[in-house]
């Protein structure tokens, strides 16, 4: 396949390296200021999936430079760059091109559908840990589950979706077909909304948040507000009630990641913008759309934005 990976950060380098090593033609689309990071178009992966090196077919901030017809675009940019990235790749997207959204949070898939239509956009839920250790080198630190890929709209032929899944899986990144990928993505949104901003604001691990009664109460409130908001917006979740999810959250999800600090914590420490608008901020927006209020999520969002302004 001819594949364009948009955004060569921790996640993008991982996808690009494995897919190139598997024999595909792989192009990296980056911002102009990142060109100096990649010498001779070489990228590296280390960690739990072994050591790998690949030389991509091109790495460029100018999509128009790519003459090949692109079969698959994998979008891995931060959520605040989604709209700009989607518009920038229009020269690459033909009638037969599929776009895989492999990002955190709510709104990325929806924006891609708005621009390109349901019949071209796949949704992926990524839950392996990848961190940038050098300009062109990432380490895979943990893999909690397969990359789950599906078509929420049901308009793309199932065999086509499964072919994309197998392409990624056979390249060495565990992946599986998920007709219910939208609900699966919301599982991750619930988890991230409860943990990421509080861990970033209070500079503590997930385990510390769960063990303290004050932060535990805040996380419970965030979850309850999300359940109410998604219900009002007819967004289907995998859980029948917030209490059912919270039991799973504290019993199964927190213990194996109790020492983990959220990426949002490192973003603030590095003076970078966070993805709060695709997490708790998105909850605030869809709550307003439904005519309801989510005071805890709104407060958390405002506090993160305060910290962003201080650190940028």
């Amino acid at each position: 396949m001819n594949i364009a990976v948009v955004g060569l950060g921790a996640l993008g380098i991982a996808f690009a390296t494995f897919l190139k090593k598997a024999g595909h033609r792989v192009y990296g689309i980056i911002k102009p200021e990142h060109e100096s990071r990649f010498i001779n178009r070489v990228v590296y992966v280390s960690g739990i999936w072994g050591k790998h090196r690949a030389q991509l077919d091109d790495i460029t901030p100018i999509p128009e430079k790519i003459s090949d017809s692109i079969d698959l675009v994998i979008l891995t940019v931060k959520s605040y760059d989604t709209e700009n990235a989607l518009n920038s790749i229009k020269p690459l997207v033909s009638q037969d091109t599929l776009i895989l959204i492999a990002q955190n949070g709510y709104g990325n898939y929806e924006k891609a559908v708005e621009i390109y239509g349901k019949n071209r956009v796949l949704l992926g839920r990524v839950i392996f840990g990848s961190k940038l250790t050098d300009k062109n080198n990432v380490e895979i630190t943990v893999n909690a589950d397969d990359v789950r890929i599906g078509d929420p709209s049901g308009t793309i032929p199932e065999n086509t979706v499964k072919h994309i899944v197998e392409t990624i899986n056979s390249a060495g990144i565990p992946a599986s077909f998920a007709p219910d990928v939208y609900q699966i993505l919301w599982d991750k949104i619930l988890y991230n909304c409860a943990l990421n901003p509080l861990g970033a604001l209070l500079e503590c691990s997930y385990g510390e948040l769960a063990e303290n009664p004050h932060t535990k109460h805040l996380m419970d409130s965030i979850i309850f507000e999300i359940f109410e908001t998604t219900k009002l917006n007819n967004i289907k979740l995998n859980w029948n009630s917030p209490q059912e999810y919270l039991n799973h959250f504290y019993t199964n999800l927190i213990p194996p990641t109790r020492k983990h600090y959220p990426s949002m914590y490192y973003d603030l420490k590095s003076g970078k913008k966070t993805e709060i608008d695709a997490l708790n901020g998105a909850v605030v927006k869809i709550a307003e759309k439904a005519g309801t209020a989510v005071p805890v999520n709104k407060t958390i969002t405002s506090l993160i934005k305060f910290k962003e302004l201080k650190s940028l």
Side-chain angles (χ1 to χ4, degrees):
M1 297 184 76
N2 294 333
I3 300 168
V5 179
V6 185
L8 289 182
L11 186 59
I13 288 176
F15 274 108
T17 303
F18 280 97
L19 287 164
K20 180 57 187 174
K21 282 199 72 178
H24 303 282
R25 290 186 67 80
V26 179
Y27 301 89
I29 309 299
I30 58 172
K31 293 180 178 179
E33 60 265 31
H34 293 160
E35 281 190 277
S36 62
R37 288 173 47 204
F38 302 97
I39 306 301
N40 297 323
R41 311 187 310 278
V42 175
V43 287
Y44 300 89
V45 169
S46 62
I48 62 171
W49 293 340
K51 291 187 176 181
H52 306 273
R53 175 190 182 277
Q55 185 176 41
L56 303 191
D57 294 276
D58 199 2
I59 298 175
T60 177
I62 307 170
E64 294 91 335
K65 280 183 59 181
I66 298 172
S67 57
D68 278 334
S69 176
I70 297 298
D71 303 304
L72 176 67
V73 172
I74 303 177
L75 198 69
T76 66
V77 300
K78 293 287 191 179
S79 58
Y80 46 78
D81 283 330
T82 294
E83 186 168 4
N84 286 339
L86 286 169
N87 284 317
S88 76
I89 60 168
K90 284 182 178 178
L92 300 179
V93 180
S94 70
Q95 188 174 353
D96 299 320
T97 305
L98 290 175
I99 301 168
L100 172 61
I101 304 301
Q103 301 162 278
N104 279 332
Y106 176 83
N108 302 301
Y109 170 79
E110 290 74 12
K111 180 56 67 175
V113 166
E114 179 186 318
I115 295 173
Y116 291 105
K118 293 179 181 179
N119 62 328
R120 291 184 185 173
V121 185
L122 298 172
L123 179 61
R125 191 289 317 266
V126 179
I127 202 166
F128 65 81
S130 181
K131 69 176 183 178
L132 206 61
T133 57
D134 202 348
K135 294 177 181 179
N136 61 344
N137 194 326
V138 301
E139 179 186 3
I140 309 298
T141 56
V142 65
N143 182 35
D145 191 15
D146 290 356
V147 175
R148 307 295 295 277
I149 298 170
D151 167 26
S153 72
T155 59
I156 300 171
E158 188 173 298
N159 285 342
T160 301
V161 183
K162 288 182 175 178
H163 174 63
I164 299 300
V165 172
E166 182 52 31
T167 296
I168 292 171
N169 190 59
S170 61
I173 296 176
S176 57
F177 174 59
D180 59 342
V181 65
Y182 203 75
Q183 292 97 293
I184 293 171
L185 181 70
W186 268 98
D187 283 351
K188 188 178 180 184
I189 293 171
L190 284 162
Y191 178 82
N192 285 341
C193 283
L195 291 164
N196 286 16
L198 283 172
L201 288 166
L202 301 174
E203 301 186 354
C204 63
S205 69
Y206 292 170
E208 291 175 286
L209 292 174
E211 290 160 6
N212 187 292
H214 304 291
T215 47
K216 185 175 183 294
H217 173 72
L218 286 172
M219 291 194 294
D220 291 353
S221 299
I222 288 167
I223 297 300
F224 271 92
E225 288 181 358
I226 292 174
F227 267 79
E228 180 63 24
T229 300
T230 51
K231 182 180 178 181
L232 290 171
N233 281 277
N234 296 313
I235 295 171
K236 186 178 179 183
L237 302 180
N238 275 329
W239 308 90
N240 294 319
S241 70
Q243 195 56 58
E244 182 184 2
Y245 175 77
L246 285 167
N247 290 339
H248 172 67
F249 179 71
Y250 290 115
T251 303
N252 301 316
L253 300 183
I254 295 291
T257 58
R258 62 179 309 277
K259 294 182 179 180
H260 187 76
Y261 283 69
S263 58
M264 197 175 286
Y265 164 81
Y266 297 106
D267 286 341
L268 290 178
K269 283 288 187 186
S270 304
K272 297 178 181 177
K273 192 174 180 182
T274 73
E275 294 187 290
I276 192 67
D277 284 329
L279 296 171
N280 306 73
V283 173
V284 173
K285 285 186 178 179
I286 62 174
E288 290 172 349
K289 178 182 172 184
T292 190
V294 283
V296 179
N297 279 278
K298 189 168 186 177
T299 299
I300 292 293
T301 301
S302 296
L303 290 172
I304 289 291
K305 286 184 174 294
F306 172 83
K307 292 279 281 188
E308 276 184 348
L309 288 173
K310 282 198 70 177
S311 63
L312 289 175

